[in-house]
Amino acid sequence: PWLEAQAKARAPRELPEGTKGHVILTNYDSVATNLAEKFRQYHHEYVIVVEDVKQALELQDLDIRVAVGDLGDPQTYRRLKARDADLVVANIDDMMNTNIAFTVREISQKVPIVANADLDDSVDILQLAGSTHVLQFTKMLGQSLARRVLGTTTKANVIGKIESLLIAEAPAMRTPLVGKTLLQSKLRETIGINVVGLWERGRFNIPTAQTLINATTVLLLAGSDDQFNEYDQKFGRDIKHQAPVLILGGGRVGRAAGDALMKRDIDYRIIEKKQKLIEGERHIYGSAADINTLMQAGIKKAPSIIITTHDDPTNIYLTIYCRRLCPDIQIISRANLERNISKLHTAGADLVMSYASMAANTILKLLKPDELLMLAERLNIFRVVVPPSYVDKSLAESHIRSRTGCNVVAICDREAMRINPEPSYRFSENNELILIGSEEAESRFFKMHSEIRKITAS
């Protein structure tokens, strides 16, 4: 009893007086783990509420900000200063999320509440309970996976936006750009659009003027709405495939991917081994690990495969299997744990999207709109005040790209946003920079410029 009393005394149950602007997370899962890491990086206060004292102590030993409390008790949220919080996140199940939202609304009518809904029928109920934003993360993941299917159009596919700056992906396949270097493409000179990165078989690279564009290259472009319209007029055309896209897994993510493809008029087939999830002629009953099932679904002619199961070892297995059967097919896979992202790329996936990262970045986007944007796994757009050492220097003189691996895609001042600035542009102390880079490049930038902080930290 004495030890139990000591443990309870060590587990915090409330936040200090004066705490405000923090985020309250009501579940310790992969999404919360991802968010906790981001909040530490961006210097934003947070707390994760758990009901078990032992779990709280374990998390505390891992340097995770935690508090003990009953999720259905209004006193929990009073002790955690919910009235002064920036956000409350309910991410358990639909019934518990409803209870959390309803309980928090007893404390405050103003604090924003983000709730996840697994079922379509729960959306209205969660809104009635007081949720400010009701999101369906599994459906969003399926839609995101489907958006990355290539070979169906050569038009630019917008994947992110910060104010008037648009970021898009465009396959080079079947365009006059194949076989040219970036310098020879003259995209910046003729359209004003900027190639800020290249995808080659799931690997992201910062290009140079002499980088060659291949048939397998996917261009990452930055520009305005007018510039992308001009790009589509010059290079965009729709391609109708006779063979359907294959979706391995008929759960919520797989079905959402299928619905998204249907809206784009792209045919698909879902392979599912649970009979109760078979819903129509586009569903094929069987195991995706069975070559006869894959052949029946048309794997040899399919332009792309989307792997959607919630088990990472299964996804890795299917990725290796499908890559061996079809060396040139596009493979897009879901990852449930971040540590498996690199494994899936090594196994042969062209693109990997993590449920935890997508959900965490969606929540961050609601918390700090127009300041942070995840384009793909470990590839972000972020916004900073201009480092003092850059003031009165030109973009070319700063050597940001060569020193950090980050690319400046826009510069903001008090009057406007300058998209794809010229190398001769000179920085002033009123500037804010919008940069794109991998997590490693982003960390390198802030190590070099420790005197500044992200806009997201303000």
Side-chain angles (χ1 to χ4, degrees), residues 3 9 49 111 167 182 242 247 249 271 276 312 328 335 357 387 390:
L3 289 173
V49 191
V111 62
I167 304 295
L182 281 188
Q242 299 301 318
I247 300 172
I271 298 176
K276 64 181 181 180
D312 283 353
D328 296 325
S357 291
Y390 290 172

Side-chain angles (χ1 to χ4, degrees), residues 150 171-173 178 199-202 213-219 328:
L150 300 174
M173 184 188 303
V178 175
W199 290 103
E200 283 286 355
R201 290 289 186 194
I213 301 173
N214 303 306
T216 55
T217 300
V218 178
L219 305 172
D328 296 325

